[in-house]
């Protein structure tokens, strides 16, 4: 996804929509949105003093001189040239606050994880000097783009003078047990077996193999967009082949399956009611789901009688594969609250971040977002939501804040359902994941008079991969006659 960050049709549509809704701050939006998604072009024009523009005749236009640099997305040389400044890992270094030195020729350092690199092949062939730097192995390198605070506008368009924590996987990680044991790289750049000679030059066999060698997988959870890009490769300008896309989609699916464990506990039947609890354990290094709040994960629960007739169902997907039946996710007004206990099918446990503007109204417009009305994304292991020192950008918001079994590493949801008699009941639960939530998509498509939004909408309509199964469990409760 990082190499495709500039051609991502969802990103382009959202940029166009934000500009459409806030035309008076077009410059600020385009400068902001280009910083991490087209970082090379952004850095280049910062050097030359040209304005940063994306739409119209900006970076995304093939006639723009910075088009090629933009299309490379988060490229090798951008990430490897990020300087180890004291800002990294702090608020100043977040939100794209990385620094690239304005050097030329061999004065350009390119940082890597190994000490004593052989410098001549890179100097002679590409005019870069490879230099060892410890920051390449640290989470703070990723934090510069992965923690994002956005400036807030009031609904009337005036600047509110505050920032909204749109993405905070780094802070989430910082306050978890993983801080000190596993960096972002540990999970997102898995170590290959054995050791590897990392360069094809010199060819005289003088280079010794290096280890540990981290694979540049950068796998996340976004099978949805990888699939869309794969299916519209030519139109969007993606360069990877189908096999590579399929491999990355498969790897992402496997990462997702390992992200959280789902278990039915304490099943019992009394007074015509079946009761049980579902415990979800987060194994990722941050909240689950994390990052941009278009992601959601939820519980699909069914109860069947001895004849396999479904008696209860909460969290089923509608026929379109996008909307969850029973979930309140209209584009204005309401949202599905966090549940401690579920007693009827229209209640669905959805883990997500729901944004609100400065007047407390639900919003999907990124620049209007000022706070979370609901943030019950499952906490990483070790995070204590009651810790008074917890920064605001990772706090729990809404009913989950007062749910005593919504704790670091897990949540437990109780179910109590009145059922007709049967000799046995089968409870099945599946934890589901969706990249682009229904409400977010419907809100975006209100702007489908914009070509970027119309394109995204048509690609979304033509895809059938809208969700993934994370993990599941099944238990049978036998009723003694
Ligand atoms: C600080 C770096 C940074 C800036 C600035 C930034 N983004 Fe992003 N953006 C990201 C990262 C990182 C992700 C991936 C998050 C994830 O996978 O959950 C992302 C993902 C997205 C996605 C989801 C893409 C998908 O395929 O699911 C959209 C839409 C998006 N950004 C829009 C914007 C817009 C609009 C702006 C400007 C207002 C912007 N971004 C500015 C870092 C940034
Ligand atoms: C998002 C940032 C990022 C991008 C993009 C990136 N790298 Fe890396 N690279 C890293 C990090 C971080 C490490 C060090 C990993 C460690 O050891 O902890 C690394 C390590 C390396 C190494 C040492 C061997 C290894 O894999 O550990 C080589 C060689 C390398 N990168 C080349 C490349 C090339 C070529 C590309 C483009 C195809 C690229 N990198 C893109 C972040 C990046
Ligand atoms: C220059 C900015 C930048 C840096 C530095 C950076 N990223 Fe990213 N990363 C992005 C953007 C932008 C996206 C989202 C692209 C999109 O969805 O369109 C992203 C997406 C991702 C994803 C999501 C992939 C998916 O399929 O959902 C992962 C995982 C990721 N980055 C890991 C890392 C790690 C680990 C590091 C540090 C070694 C890192 N990134 C450093 C900008 C950056
Ligand atoms: C213990 C392993 C682990 C660590 C450490 C970890 N992650 Fe993740 N990450 C995961 C798993 C598993 C997923 C897939 C589930 C999810 O989306 O939360 C994931 C997903 C992501 C995604 C994709 C979200 C999306 O919307 O597609 C991003 C971005 C990301 N991680 C960034 C980071 C960053 C930045 C760090 C370091 C601050 C980090 N991760 C540390 C395991 C880890």
């Amino acid at each position: 996804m990082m190499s495709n960050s500039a051609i991502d049709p969802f990103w382009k549509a959202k940029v166009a929509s934000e500009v459409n809704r806030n035309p008076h701050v077009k410059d600020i939006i385009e400068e902001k949105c280009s910083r991490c998604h087209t970082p090379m072009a952004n850095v280049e024009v910062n050097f030359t003093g040209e304005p940063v523009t994306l739409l119209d005749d900006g970076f995304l236009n093939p006639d723009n001189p910075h088009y090629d640099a933009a299309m490379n997305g988060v490229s090798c040389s951008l990430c490897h040239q990020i300087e180890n400044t004291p800002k990294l890992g702090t608020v100043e270094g977040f939100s794209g606050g990385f620094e690239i030195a304005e050097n030329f020729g061999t004065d350009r350092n390119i940082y890597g994880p190994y000490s004593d690199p052989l410098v001549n092949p890179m100097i002679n062939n590409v005019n870069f000097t490879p230099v060892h730097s410890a920051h390449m192995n640290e989470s703070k390198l990723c934090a510069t783009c992965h923690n994002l605070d956005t400036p807030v506008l009031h609904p009337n368009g005036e600047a509110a003078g505050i920032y909204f924590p749109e993405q905070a996987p780094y802070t989430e990680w910082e306050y978890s047990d993983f801080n000190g044991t596993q960096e972002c790289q540990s999970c997102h750049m898995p170590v290959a077996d054995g050791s590897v000679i990392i360069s094809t030059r010199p060819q005289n066999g003088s280079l010794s193999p290096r280890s540990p060698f981290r694979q540049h997988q950068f796998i996340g959870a976004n099978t949805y967009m990888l699939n869309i890009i794969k299916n519209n490769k030519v139109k969007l300008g993606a360069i990877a082949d189908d096999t590579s896309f399929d491999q990355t989609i498969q790897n992402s699916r496997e990462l997702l399956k390992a992200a959280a464990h789902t278990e039915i506990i304490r099943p019992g039947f009394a007074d015509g009611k079946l009761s049980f609890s579902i415990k979800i354990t987060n194994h990722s290094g941050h909240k689950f789901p994390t990052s941009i709040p278009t992601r959601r994960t939820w519980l699909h629960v069914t109860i069947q009688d001895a004849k396999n007739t479904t008696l209860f169902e909460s969290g089923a997907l509608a026929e379109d594969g996008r909307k969850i039946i029973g979930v309140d996710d209209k584009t204005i007004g309401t949202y599905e609250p966090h549940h401690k206990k579920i007693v009827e099918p229209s209640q669905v446990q959805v883990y997500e971040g729901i944004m609100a503007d400065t007047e407390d109204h639900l919003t999907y417009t990124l620049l209007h977002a000022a706070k979370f009305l609901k943030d019950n994304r499952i906490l990483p292991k070790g995070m204590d939501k009651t810790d008074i020192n917890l920064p605001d950008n990772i706090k729990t918001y809404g009913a989950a804040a007062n749910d005593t079994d919504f704790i670091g590493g897990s949540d437990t949801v109780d179910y109590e359902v009145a059922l007709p008699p049967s000799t046995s009941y089968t409870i099945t639960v599946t934890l589901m994941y969706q990249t682009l939530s229904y409400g977010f998509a419907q809100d975006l498509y209100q702007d489908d008079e914009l070509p970027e939004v119309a394109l995204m909408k048509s690609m979304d309509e033509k895809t059938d991969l809208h969700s993934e199964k994370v993990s599941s469990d099944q238990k049978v409760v036998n009723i003694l006659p």
Side-chain angles (χ1 to χ4, degrees):
M1 277 314 301
M2 279 199 277
S3 79
N4 290 300
S5 62
I7 62 165
D8 183 331
F10 178 22
W11 169 71
K12 282 199 244 182
K14 196 63 188 156
V15 175
S17 159
E18 293 285 326
V19 169
N20 190 42
R21 293 174 190 189
N22 310 285
H24 60 299
V25 287
K26 180 176 190 283
D27 297 356
I28 298 172
I29 296 173
E30 294 190 15
E31 145 54 42
K32 192 87 205 156
C33 306
S34 73
R35 183 65 182 167
C36 307
H37 288 265
T38 59
M40 284 208 293
N42 180 293
V43 166
E44 279 184 5
V45 304
N46 280 342
F47 287 166
T48 61
E50 295 159 84
V52 178
T53 53
L54 277 172
L55 307 168
D56 308 323
D57 54 5
F59 297 158
L60 300 178
N61 186 325
D63 295 329
N64 186 289
H66 304 285
Y67 175 77
D68 284 344
M71 288 304 115
N72 266 280
V74 184
S75 70
C76 321
S77 56
L78 186 284
C79 198
H80 279 269
Q81 282 188 89
I82 293 176
E83 294 286 334
N84 189 16
T85 64
K87 290 198 297 191
L88 280 189
T90 71
V91 172
E92 254 189 289
F94 297 159
S95 309
F98 56 82
E99 269 176 37
I100 306 290
E102 196 173 354
N103 291 330
F104 297 93
T106 55
D107 286 343
R108 295 177 306 169
N109 286 347
I110 192 121
Y111 301 106
Y114 302 127
S115 50
D116 302 320
L118 183 69
V119 295
N120 287 341
M122 280 202 80
I123 290 179
N124 295 339
N125 290 290
V126 287
N127 255 340
F128 275 108
T129 303
V131 176
H132 165 254
S133 184
H135 77 292
M136 293 305 292
N137 302 77
E138 296 173 28
S139 298
K140 64 183 188 184
L141 173 76
C142 318
T144 188
C145 296
H146 281 272
N147 252 45
L148 168 56
D149 299 326
T150 47
V152 178
L153 301 178
H154 288 298
N156 69 6
E158 273 169 40
I162 51 169
Y163 286 84
F164 168 69
E166 188 205 289
Q167 297 182 33
Y170 176 78
T171 316
E172 292 162 11
W173 168 87
E174 217 182 351
Y175 284 83
S176 77
D177 281 353
F178 297 95
N179 182 356
T181 59
Q182 282 178 288
E183 306 288 321
C184 316
Q185 288 87 333
S186 314
C187 298
H188 291 286
M189 303 182 74
V191 173
D193 290 337
S195 52
V196 177
I197 295 175
I198 64 163
S199 172
T200 55
R201 294 184 197 187
Q203 285 171 329
N204 59 13
S206 62
L207 278 188
S208 24
R210 299 282 199 166
S211 72
F213 178 87
R214 292 199 177 277
Q215 302 169 72
H216 286 58
Q217 288 195 341
F218 298 122
I219 302 298
N222 202 351
T223 58
Y224 165 77
M225 185 48 67
L226 288 164
N227 183 55
I228 287 188
I229 296 175
K230 177 193 156 198
N231 292 336
N232 299 279
K233 229 169 51 186
V234 179
K235 195 165 195 172
L236 294 171
I239 52 172
D241 56 33
D242 282 8
T243 319
S244 305
F245 273 112
D246 288 338
Q247 185 65 57
T248 306
I249 291 169
Q250 192 50 39
N251 290 345
S252 308
R253 201 163 275 151
E254 274 159 30
L255 184 81
L256 252 182
K257 286 190 192 305
H261 179 76
T262 310
E263 193 186 0
I264 299 165
I265 54 175
R266 307 189 286 257
F269 189 82
D271 303 331
K273 283 180 181 169
L274 185 68
S275 62
F276 56 92
S277 300
I278 297 172
K279 183 175 182 188
I280 308 106
T281 309
N282 177 4
H283 295 302
S284 79
H286 29 65
K287 289 186 182 182
F288 178 63
T290 186
S291 303
I292 191 163
T294 74
R295 321 311 200 202
R296 60 181 180 176
T297 183
W298 75 97
L299 291 172
H300 177 202
V301 177
T302 62
I303 303 170
Q304 289 170 311
D305 66 11
K307 292 185 184 117
N308 287 337
T309 306
T310 301
L311 305 174
F312 171 91
E313 184 160 25
S314 153
L317 274 170
E319 223 168 291
D320 69 358
R322 284 163 250 209
K323 193 174 161 48
I324 307 168
I325 296 169
V327 165
D328 241 341
D329 52 7
K330 296 187 189 66
T331 52
I332 38 166
T334 53
Y335 59 94
E336 185 75 17
H338 171 83
H339 297 285
K340 164 113 195 75
K341 184 174 187 176
I342 286 182
V343 297
E344 51 178 88
S346 68
Q347 297 171 317
V348 184
Q349 186 72 317
V350 187
Y351 298 101
E352 61 188 343
I354 294 282
M355 308 183 296
D357 62 23
T358 55
E359 291 170 5
D360 284 349
H361 295 126
L362 184 151
T363 186
Y364 294 99
T365 307
L366 296 175
L367 290 192
H368 291 179
K371 62 175 83 153
F372 283 111
L373 289 173
K374 170 186 180 185
D375 184 351
N376 67 339
R377 290 177 286 189
I378 306 165
L379 307 179
K381 193 163 161 264
M383 186 187 287
D384 176 4
K385 75 171 179 199
T386 63
D387 178 357
I388 49 163
N389 295 319
L390 215 60
D392 285 347
N393 65 346
I394 56 166
K395 282 189 175 142
T396 299
Y397 295 97
N402 303 318
D403 179 348
T404 46
D405 57 33
F406 184 89
I407 55 173
S410 70
D411 181 35
T412 306
V413 198
D414 303 327
Y415 287 74
E416 189 181 70
V417 187
L419 296 172
S422 175
T423 52
S424 74
Y425 298 104
T426 303
I427 311 163
T428 310
V429 56
T430 307
L431 182 66
M432 301 289 295
Y433 179 89
Q434 198 172 49
T435 294
L436 173 52
S437 73
Y438 183 78
F440 208 100
Q442 300 319 303
D443 176 80
L444 176 65
Y445 300 154
Q446 287 174 4
D447 289 350
D448 64 3
E449 78 279 7
L450 305 171
E452 293 86 356
V453 177
L455 182 69
M456 171 59 199
K457 188 180 172 193
S458 75
M459 289 180 175
D460 184 35
E461 274 163 3
K462 283 190 209 108
T463 183
D464 47 15
L465 181 67
H466 293 284
S467 65
E468 290 286 346
K469 291 184 171 129
V470 181
S471 51
S472 52
D473 192 19
Q474 189 170 67
K475 286 224 161 59
V476 180
V477 181
N478 289 310
I479 309 301
L480 298 172

